[in-house]
Amino acid sequence: MKTPKHLNALRAFEATARLGSFKAAADEIGVTPEAIGQLVRTLESYFCIQLFIRNKGGKKLTATQETLNVLPSLSEAFRCLSSVTDRLNGLSKSGALTISTSPSITSKWLVPILPKILNDESDIDVKLDITNRLIDLTTGEFDIVIRYAEKAEDWSSFNVISLAENESLLAVCCPKLLKAHPEIAGTSGLLKQTLIRDITMENSSYPNWREWLNKVGVTEFDNTNFLEVNASLVAIEMAKLSQGVALVREHLVHSEIAAGTLINLYPNNLLSTNWGYYIITPLNPRSQVKLFANWLEKELKLLLRKLCN
């Protein structure tokens, strides 16, 4: 039996066709509307067929006749797949929990509490999947997802625990760079440095260096060098190695600022985001998953309080 190709794209297509919009499908699956749109376009390209007629603004979708013809069978296939996943979950007696986290959250938050995981929850086997990729919790592949994300308008399809919301971005550099170039304490001197930006969040709504500069009154920066990296920890390390000034997430650099390896150059000029850190589980998780998610909430919030003080 052949395994269907582009299974995630088919899931996105089915949800979009059934619910009538990328946003509604994104809310159900737990990803962004942009991701749903990209998956649908991938499917259209693969089959060389148009699945939806889009209006001029691209927001209103009308299913084509081809879509209407296959939707009932596709929806039934996913219902069967979900039923099988639920049955397999019920057969699991190992007590293993699979947690998906990003590299930065793993390094900064989970590694410090791993000894407590082993001691306090010694009867549970924990599997960590360290990735930034989008996760569909409805597949049953993961029990818990910990992510940095934009707060969604409707997460009613999941259990969501907020760890920290509306994080700010800081402009940081190492003491060595500040000592060599004290002029970076002013924005005119700052513009002469390489400005490092973490682009892990590939999202048009996420703020960047240009917004930070506009906030402090700088609108001309054509001659400034911007360096973008798609790894939060790399951006932090580059700043620690005097390779520029980095715009970083505050909760990832508390320990460096406390230790003096990084300096918050402009403590009065923080750039707010609408993003935060969340623990996400299926709407009706196993009791073991619910208990462990609550344990994670307690331990991670305690860690955050210690880091912030």
Side-chain angles (χ1 to χ4, degrees), residues 172-246:
V172 299
C173 74
C174 73
K176 182 179 178 181
L177 184 67
L178 181 59
K179 183 177 181 180
H181 300 280
E183 67 275 10
I184 64 176
T187 53
S188 59
L190 176 68
L191 294 176
K192 296 177 183 179
Q193 296 295 319
T194 297
L195 302 186
I196 304 165
R197 179 193 169 211
D198 167 24
I199 58 166
T200 304
M201 293 63 61
E202 296 181 3
N203 185 298
S204 59
S205 70
Y206 198 81
N208 55 38
W209 261 118
R210 288 169 175 79
E211 291 184 42
W212 187 94
L213 291 167
N214 288 336
K215 184 175 181 290
V216 298
V218 178
T219 57
E220 296 294 332
F221 34 79
D222 292 339
N223 296 322
T224 302
N225 292 323
F226 292 95
L227 175 61
E228 297 183 335
V229 296
N230 64 341
S232 305
L233 300 180
V234 171
I236 293 169
E237 287 303 310
M238 292 179 74
K240 289 166 65 176
L241 293 172
S242 299
Q243 294 179 11
V245 178

Side-chain angles (χ1 to χ4, degrees), residues 44-261:
E44 289 179 322
S45 176
Y46 179 75
F47 289 112
C48 299
I49 190 172
Q50 185 175 7
L51 299 172
F52 299 98
I53 299 171
R54 300 157 174 84
N55 69 352
K56 188 174 181 181
K59 292 184 178 181
K60 185 178 180 181
L61 303 176
T62 302
T64 62
Q65 189 59 50
E66 291 81 2
T67 292
L68 295 176
N69 289 340
V70 302
L71 179 60
S73 297
L74 188 58
S75 295
E76 179 60 26
F78 276 108
R79 280 193 292 271
C80 290
L81 183 60
S82 178
S83 175
V84 171
T85 299
D86 290 341
R87 288 164 61 191
L88 289 174
N89 277 337
L91 293 174
S92 175
K93 297 181 181 179
S94 66
L97 292 177
T98 303
I99 304 173
S100 174
T101 70
S102 68
S104 56
I105 292 174
T106 302
S107 176
K108 294 290 185 178
W109 295 1
L110 286 187
V111 168
I113 67 170
L114 278 176
K116 286 189 69 66
I117 291 177
L118 298 176
N119 292 330
D120 294 4
E121 305 293 334
S122 57
D123 60 331
I124 298 177
D125 293 328
V126 177
K127 299 179 182 178
L128 293 180
D129 181 81
I130 303 171
T131 179
N132 280 317
R133 69 185 175 92
L134 297 172
I135 298 298
D136 179 0
L137 272 172
T138 62
T139 65
E141 183 182 0
F142 298 96
D143 296 302
I144 297 173
V145 172
I146 308 174
R147 279 292 185 274
Y148 182 60
E150 187 173 19
K151 188 172 183 180
E153 293 180 8
D154 181 15
W155 274 347
S156 58
S157 300
F158 305 99
N159 289 319
V160 180
I161 299 172
S162 173
L163 296 172
E165 295 187 338
N166 198 28
E167 184 173 39
S168 294
L169 301 181
L170 317 177
V172 299
C173 74
C174 73
K176 182 179 178 181
L177 184 67
L178 181 59
K179 183 177 181 180
H181 300 280
E183 67 275 10
I184 64 176
T187 53
S188 59
L190 176 68
L191 294 176
K192 296 177 183 179
Q193 296 295 319
T194 297
L195 302 186
I196 304 165
R197 179 193 169 211
D198 167 24
I199 58 166
T200 304
M201 293 63 61
E202 296 181 3
N203 185 298
S204 59
S205 70
Y206 198 81
N208 55 38
W209 261 118
R210 288 169 175 79
E211 291 184 42
W212 187 94
L213 291 167
N214 288 336
K215 184 175 181 290
V216 298
V218 178
T219 57
E220 296 294 332
F221 34 79
D222 292 339
N223 296 322
T224 302
N225 292 323
F226 292 95
L227 175 61
E228 297 183 335
V229 296
N230 64 341
S232 305
L233 300 180
V234 171
I236 293 169
E237 287 303 310
M238 292 179 74
K240 289 166 65 176
L241 293 172
S242 299
Q243 294 179 11
V245 178
L247 190 66
V248 297
R249 289 143 54 183
E250 62 174 326
H251 290 304
L252 298 186
V253 292
H254 284 309
S255 56
E256 283 82 1
I257 291 174
T261 56

